Amino acid sequence: APGFVDTHRHMWQGILRNVLPDGSLDDYIATVQKIFGAKYVPDDVYAGDYFSALGAIDSGVTCILDWSHIHNTPEHTDAAVKALSDSGVRAVFAYGNAQTADGRWWEAKGSKYPGDIARLRKQYFSSDDQLVTLYLAAPSLKKYLGPERASQITPVKTYLEQGFLVVGGTDSPVVPVNPFWQFYHFLTRDTISDGVYGENERVTSRVDLLRMITINYAKLTGEADIKGSIEPGKLADFVVLSDDILSVAERTIPNMRALATYVGGKEVYR
């Protein structure tokens, strides 16, 4: 299969896995962002990004979009870029805001967001022909919306039927890093902790779901001519999977894994 693409991750949180095994969105904001995030030093950012990138590679994800909102100082930013570059993963570094104890990130004294993007472009991203590229990054649903409205969140089946270009993403490490769970969720609408939500929005075409996490993302970023599928002349980003994702039993999909991961033709995991 082509290497998987994940379009939404907060890589800096990789070293915080399991700190909130039963937390709500409010708990996440109060603990991960306002406590940990506000106290992070650049070495923490490097460790989190690097750990997350290796986790992606281990799962068969060869390209990620890092929605990075830990830029308390330029040194934090430099650490994030270095970790992604050192890991060997292909990444879109979406440069975002800082974290503060009161949540008022726009008042963070050490942050240079968004103006520092000019320095980043010059210092690290002078070429678009590299593994890491630069972009600017501009609740308990059932509790806040009610079960009926919550069940219709992310109506992927409707989007596809209406002709939208739909791409996937896990929001990892906030939720499980496993891209196979994402595939399984949209195939079955089963959730991690509360059963099936919106069975009417099940996507029955596994080919459509595979496209969501491979070629569709490449189309979205205007890069379908170089990645997103296994074809002559394209970048050799691909994975060897433990099962055939197009035919294996539904219940098996969340437990699938990558046996080997290649980025640019180089084996980076086995």
Side-chain angles (χ1 to χ4, degrees):
F4 296 135
V5 177
D6 195 323
T7 60
H8 189 124
R9 294 195 179 198
H10 305 304
M11 304 288 279
W12 63 272
Q13 297 169 10
I15 58 175
L16 301 179
R17 290 182 181 180
N18 300 321
V19 298
L20 281 175
D22 192 30
S24 66
L25 177 61
D26 291 337
D27 295 330
Y28 162 75
I29 293 172
T31 302
V32 175
Q33 294 186 337
K34 293 184 178 180
I35 295 179
F36 286 111
K39 296 182 182 299
Y40 252 46
V41 298
D43 283 348
D44 297 326
V45 178
Y46 181 91
D49 275 50
Y50 191 71
F51 188 71
S52 292
L54 296 186
I57 290 170
D58 178 71
S59 298
V61 176
T62 58
C63 181
I64 54 92
L65 185 145
D66 178 16
W67 187 282
S68 187
H69 50 10
I70 189 59
H71 302 291
N72 304 350
T73 69
E75 289 73 27
H76 286 65
T77 308
D78 292 341
V81 175
K82 186 176 190 304
L84 293 176
S85 299
D86 288 350
S87 73
V89 76
R90 191 180 305 281
V92 176
F93 175 65
Y95 173 56
N97 54 272
Q99 296 295 334
T100 63
D102 60 4
R104 298 175 66 85
W105 57 263
W106 55 92
E107 295 179 353
K109 294 182 179 179
S111 177
K112 301 298 182 182
Y113 173 83
D116 201 35
I117 195 170
R119 176 186 70 87
L120 297 175
R121 177 67 175 175
K122 181 178 180 181
Q123 185 170 345
Y124 298 112
F125 303 100
S126 58
S127 170
D128 291 326
D129 185 21
Q130 55 191 57
L131 282 180
V132 184
T133 52
L134 177 66
Y135 276 66
L136 182 68
S140 169
L141 300 177
K142 190 174 182 179
K143 173 182 176 181
Y144 291 111
L145 302 178
E148 183 176 354
R149 290 182 62 194
S151 72
Q152 300 305 299
I153 293 296
T154 55
V156 171
K157 179 174 179 286
T158 297
Y159 292 155
L160 291 171
E161 289 175 346
Q162 295 300 316
F164 286 98
L165 179 65
V166 183
V167 301
T170 65
D171 206 13
S172 172
V174 183
V175 297
V177 65
N178 187 348
F180 305 107
W181 174 266
Q182 173 194 172
F183 190 102
Y184 169 78
H185 167 69
F186 290 121
L187 181 67
T188 65
R189 296 293 292 192
D190 194 11
T191 62
I192 295 173
S193 60
D194 201 24
V196 173
Y197 272 43
E199 188 170 0
N200 63 302
E201 286 294 338
R202 289 184 58 170
V203 178
T204 58
S205 169
R206 298 192 186 195
V207 172
D208 285 344
L209 291 174
L210 184 60
R211 287 178 175 275
M212 279 176 53
I213 54 177
T214 55
I215 189 65
N216 284 9
Y217 177 78
K219 290 179 179 178
L220 182 69
T221 59
E223 299 174 297
D225 58 329
I226 61 170
K227 62 186 180 184
S229 60
I230 300 176
E231 299 180 61
K234 287 193 173 185
L235 298 170
D237 296 349
F238 63 94
V239 294
V240 180
L241 303 182
S242 58
D243 290 285
D244 182 355
I245 200 168
L246 297 180
S247 62
V248 71
E250 290 180 356
R251 63 182 180 278
T252 302
I253 294 173
N255 297 317
M256 287 180 59
R257 61 191 182 91
L259 300 179
T261 304
Y262 293 78
V263 178
K266 178 183 178 181
E267 183 179 279
V268 293
Y269 168 74
R270 179 179 290 275

